Amino acid sequence: IVPTTNPFIPADLLAVLNARTGDDPAFVGSGGTEPFRIAKRFLDTGLRISEIDNQVLQGTIGLRGDITDNWRYEASYTWGRTKINTAASGNVNVQNAQLLLESATGGADLCDGGFNPFGIHPISADCVEFLNETGFTETQFTMRVAQAFVTGDLFELPAGTVSVVFGAERRDFEYRFDPGTLAGPIAGFNTATPDLGTNRFTDFFAEARIPLFKDQPFARSAEIGLSFRSSKSDFNDIQNGVDGQPSTDNAYGITGTWEVNDWARLRGSYQHSVRAPNFVELFSGGGSFPQYFDPCSVNTTFRQEGGTAAADLCADTGVGSPDTYVQTPGSQAFIGITGNPNLKPETGDTWTVGAVLQRWGITASIDYYNIAIKDTIFAPDPNMIIAACYGYHGINPDLDFGNPFCSFPAEEGGGSIFARTPDISYISIPQALGGDAYGYFQAVNQGKVKTSGVDVQLAYSMPTDSIVENSRLSANLLVNYLINFKVEELPGLVIDYAGTASYFGAGLGTSFPEWKANLNLAWNMKPFTFSTRVRYIDGMDNRLKVQFPGEEHLHSGPDSVWYFDAAVEADFRPLTLRLGMNNLFDKKPPEYSPNVQSGTDPSLYDVIGRRAYVSATLRF
C-alpha cells in the first residue's frame, strides 16, 4: 500500500492519482490523497532456497514362535521419531517493505538508497538485507505402533487346508509443527500456523485362504482369499482445543485364482478400502498459489469470440482495461483451505481381472483394473472455479456476474470473488460454494475419482550356450495403458485427465500418460550379468486443454520420451559388485507451459540427467 507522499512516484502517475475523486473504504482518506495498491514479483532477495535437515530415529523389538505344530504367533512394537528443520530463504519481510513505501525518504533512512518500486531499479545490498527474511521451521513426528497376530491351519477341505490369520494393531502418531518466522508477515514461501495434535488408530484384522478345487478336470487348482480390517480412528487438535469425533470404518476384500491347466491361470479381486483424513485435512488447512489460466486475457478464444458479454464480465470481475489486458506469464492465484474436524474417510472400491499364460518359455499376463473413490476429501481447483465463472463446460452460459462462481451474494457483501491487480492474486470462496467468513474453503467430502486401465507383462528367457557356456538371455516387458482418470471437480462436472500433463499447483504425481512401458534385457554369463532398461513415457496434452476447452493454442504439452539405462553386475559370492549408468544418452526432460516446476514435471521425468553409480553388497 503506497501513500501519495512516496517520493519515487513518477510525476505523470502522481497527476493521475491527484485527479481521483472516489473512496476506497479500506484506506484512510479519499480522492487524490488516498493511498493505492501495488503488486510486485519480488526477485531482489534472490532465489527461494530450502535447506532441510532430517533426523530419523526408529527401533523395533518383537517376539515370534510356535504355539502348536500348526499355529504360530508374532508380536512387535515400533517407536520412531522424525525431526525436520527447514531454513527457507529468499522471502520478503512484507512489514519492512511497507515501512520503505511509507517512509518520507522512500526508505533511504532505513537502508542505503531506499526502495523505488516504480519501474526496474536495482536495490542496494543494505536494502536487500533489510527486506530478506529467512524462515526457520521445525516439524516433529512421533510414531508408536504395536501389532500382534497368530497364523495357522483351521481345518481341512477336500482341496486342502484352510489357513487363517487373526491380529490386532494400535498406531499412535503425534504431529508437531513450529512455523517460526513463517507465521509472520512473509511473502515467498507460504506462511503457516503452529500445529499440535494426535492421530490414533485401533485395528482388528483377519485373513483366510480357502482352497476350493484341486486336480479336477476343469481346474488344476482354485482358491479364494478373504481379508477384513476394522479400524477405529481418533484425531485430536491439541493446538486449538478441538477433540475430533472417533470413527470406525471397515476395509475388506476377496481374491480368487483358478489354475485351469499347467499353462493358463485366471485371477481376479475386489477390495474395499478406506483412507482416514489426515491432520492437515482435519484441523490445519493451508494455502496454495497454483498457476491459473485467465480467460480475460485478450488473446484467449473466450475474449476473441465472446464479444461484449465476455468483456463486460471481465470488467465486472475486476479487469480495469479488458480490451488491452494480457495475463502475466507464470502468474499464480492464492486460495485458502481450512481443516474440517467432521470429515469422514474416503472410500475406494477396486476390481481387477486378469490371466497368466505360460508356454514355450514365454510368460504373459494381462490385467484390467478399475478403481473408484467416493467421498473424496475435496479442495477446489482454482482453475475450475475460474472456468465455471467464465462459461466453460456449460456453467454460467449467460456470463452472468451474479453467478456464485463469479461474485458474492449481497448478504455477504457482494463484489467479485477474484482479487485482481489486474492478474488474479486471490480467490475468495462464497459460502454457497463452501467458503467461510474469510473466503477460505473448508475441506469437505465431495466428488469422486475413477480410473481404469490395462497392465500387460511379457517375459521370455532362453539359454545362449551356443555363444557362451552356461549363459542365458532374458527379456521382460511391462506396459500400462490408462483408459481414463476421471475426477468430479465440481458437483456434476467430471473431467477426464488421462493423457494430460500437470501444472504447478495441481500437485506432483498428477500427470497421467496414456501409455507407459519398461523393457528390461539381461544377459547372464556367470559370474557377470549385463543388463539394460528402456523406459517409455507417452506424449501428453496440457491438463488445461480439458479444463478450458478451445484454448489449446495458449498452452503446450510434453512430447513422448525414451530413457536408456545400462548396468553390469559381478557376483563373487559373498561379494556382489554393480556398476551402472542411468539416462545413458543424457535425455533432457521435455519442457511445456504451464508446467509443474522448472519447465517440466520432476515427479515424472528425469531432471538429473546422465549419472553413474557403483555399489557393493557383502552377504554373511
Side-chain angles (χ1 to χ4, degrees):
I1 299 172
V2 185
T4 54
T5 56
N6 185 288
F8 290 117
I9 299 175
D12 51 354
L13 175 58
L14 187 60
V16 174
L17 295 171
N18 289 335
R20 292 176 297 164
T21 59
D23 178 32
D24 188 333
F27 294 148
V28 175
S30 62
T33 62
E34 187 177 73
F36 60 97
R37 295 178 175 88
I38 190 171
K40 174 182 172 63
R41 169 71 77 175
F42 227 109
L43 305 178
D44 308 87
T45 53
L47 299 175
R48 300 175 193 168
I49 298 174
S50 294
E51 295 185 9
I52 302 172
D53 178 32
N54 295 320
Q55 300 177 14
V56 180
L57 180 63
Q58 183 170 315
T60 299
I61 60 173
L63 297 170
R64 59 185 173 210
D66 296 329
I67 302 174
T68 67
D69 290 342
N70 296 324
W71 288 87
R72 293 178 56 81
Y73 73 90
E74 184 169 320
S76 64
Y77 177 81
T78 299
W79 178 92
R81 175 166 292 168
T82 299
K83 288 185 178 181
I84 305 173
N85 292 293
T86 302
S89 60
N91 301 293
V92 175
N93 186 313
V94 178
Q95 183 171 312
N96 284 358
Q98 186 64 42
L99 291 175
L100 293 176
L101 293 172
E102 294 176 357
S103 168
T105 64
D109 57 321
L110 300 173
C111 61
D112 185 21
F115 171 45
N116 184 355
F118 304 101
I120 301 175
H121 305 284
I123 301 177
S124 69
D126 186 37
C127 283
V128 168
E129 183 178 354
F130 183 74
L131 289 168
N132 188 39
E133 187 75 51
T134 299
F136 297 95
T137 68
E138 180 179 279
T139 304
Q140 180 172 291
F141 300 94
T142 303
M143 171 187 72
R144 299 174 181 88
V145 179
Q147 183 190 81
F149 62 86
V150 295
T151 179
D153 299 334
L154 203 59
F155 54 83
E156 290 291 327
L157 290 177
T161 304
V162 176
S163 302
V164 295
V165 176
F166 300 104
E169 184 177 61
R170 174 68 173 266
R171 304 187 304 279
D172 289 286
F173 304 94
E174 182 184 87
Y175 171 70
R176 184 187 302 268
F177 175 68
D178 180 0
T181 50
L182 286 188
I186 298 295
F189 285 90
N190 291 347
T191 57
T193 57
D195 288 323
L196 174 61
T198 60
N199 301 350
R200 176 177 296 166
F201 301 88
T202 304
D203 293 8
F204 297 94
F205 57 89
E207 298 180 17
R209 172 185 171 273
I210 305 173
L212 300 178
F213 304 103
K214 185 175 181 63
D215 298 329
Q216 299 295 318
F218 55 88
R220 192 176 183 182
S221 68
E223 66 179 41
I224 62 172
L226 303 175
S227 61
F228 178 83
R229 177 181 289 260
S230 177
S231 180
K232 179 181 179 181
S233 57
D234 188 7
F235 302 87
N236 295 284
D237 181 3
I238 300 173
Q239 181 71 35
N240 298 304
V242 179
D243 188 358
Q245 294 297 318
S247 174
T248 299
D249 302 279
N250 299 324
Y252 45 86
I254 179 172
T255 62
T257 61
W258 174 23
E259 191 175 354
V260 181
N261 48 44
D262 61 354
W263 59 271
R265 179 162 55 94
L266 305 179
R267 60 191 179 189
S269 70
Y270 165 74
Q271 300 286 336
H272 176 80
S273 57
V274 295
R275 184 186 76 86
N278 59 42
F279 186 87
V280 172
E281 294 164 337
L282 285 163
F283 305 115
S284 181
S288 62
F289 292 83
Q291 290 178 329
Y292 70 92
F293 177 83
D294 197 336
C296 289
S297 189
V298 293
N299 54 352
T300 66
T301 302
F302 171 79
R303 283 302 320 279
Q304 293 172 358
E305 298 181 2
T308 303
D312 290 345
L313 181 58
C314 290
D316 291 338
T317 53
V319 181
S321 302
D323 291 334
T324 58
Y325 167 64
V326 177
Q327 179 185 2
T328 302
S331 48
Q332 300 165 239
F334 173 79
I335 187 169
I337 308 294
T338 64
N340 181 0
N342 298 315
L343 285 173
K344 299 178 180 179
E346 299 177 337
T347 61
D349 295 285
T350 301
W351 296 87
T352 68
V353 60
V356 180
L357 306 175
Q358 293 178 301
R359 201 72 167 175
W360 307 299
I362 300 174
T363 300
S365 68
I366 182 169
D367 292 277
Y368 167 79
Y369 61 87
N370 187 301
I371 306 170
I373 305 173
K374 296 182 294 184
D375 296 325
T376 56
I377 297 174
F378 175 81
D381 185 330
N383 276 295
M384 297 311 303
I385 296 175
I386 294 170
C389 173
Y390 294 103
Y392 296 85
H393 304 287
I395 303 174
N396 195 19
D398 298 328
L399 303 184
D400 178 13
F401 177 64
N403 187 284
F405 288 103
C406 297
S407 63
F408 291 95
E411 58 269 23
E412 295 182 36
S416 175
I417 70 172
F418 306 114
R420 286 183 173 272
T421 59
D423 293 323
I424 299 173
S425 59
Y426 186 97
I427 300 178
S428 298
I429 307 298
Q431 294 179 18
L433 301 180
D436 63 10
Y438 302 98
Y440 274 49
F441 184 89
Q442 187 177 53
V444 294
N445 293 101
Q446 176 180 298
K448 303 174 184 177
V449 176
K450 181 180 180 181
T451 184
S452 63
V454 177
D455 286 326
V456 177
Q457 182 175 3
L458 292 173
Y460 180 68
S461 179
M462 59 177 290
T464 55
D465 295 337
S466 59
I467 302 175
V468 177
E469 187 176 355
N470 294 326
S471 64
R472 178 170 289 272
L473 180 66
S474 59
N476 189 18
L477 174 66
L478 300 95
V479 179
N480 170 254
Y481 172 63
L482 182 65
I483 297 174
N484 55 45
F485 196 101
K486 297 180 179 180
V487 180
E488 187 177 14
E489 292 282 14
L490 299 173
L493 176 61
V494 177
I495 303 292
D496 188 355
Y497 289 112
T500 64
S502 189
Y503 52 72
F504 181 78
L508 298 175
T510 52
S511 293
F512 306 113
E514 289 185 340
W515 291 95
K516 289 195 297 183
N518 279 358
L519 173 63
N520 295 282
L521 301 172
W523 189 22
N524 177 256
M525 51 183 79
K526 296 181 179 180
F528 298 101
T529 299
F530 299 89
S531 61
T532 184
R533 178 177 61 173
V534 182
R535 295 174 285 157
Y536 172 77
I537 302 172
D538 198 17
M540 290 175 282
D541 296 320
N542 198 294
R543 73 188 284 134
L544 285 180
K545 178 181 179 179
V546 294
Q547 291 186 333
F548 294 90
E551 306 290 359
E552 293 86 345
H553 62 292
L554 294 175
H555 44 254
S556 61
D559 294 328
S560 58
V561 176
W562 294 84
Y563 293 112
F564 296 86
D565 308 326
V568 58
E569 182 177 284
D571 189 356
F572 304 110
R573 297 204 175 202
L575 177 65
T576 301
L577 302 176
R578 184 175 179 84
L579 175 66
M581 182 170 289
N582 290 339
N583 197 352
L584 192 61
F585 300 109
D586 199 22
K587 177 69 177 179
K588 304 302 180 185
E591 296 183 354
Y592 62 97
S593 176
N595 47 64
V596 176
Q597 287 182 358
S598 304
T600 188
D601 183 349
S603 65
L604 180 65
Y605 300 110
D606 187 334
V607 297
I608 300 176
R610 181 169 50 225
R611 56 204 181 274
Y613 63 90
V614 60
S615 67
T617 303
L618 181 63
R619 297 175 178 86
F620 56 89

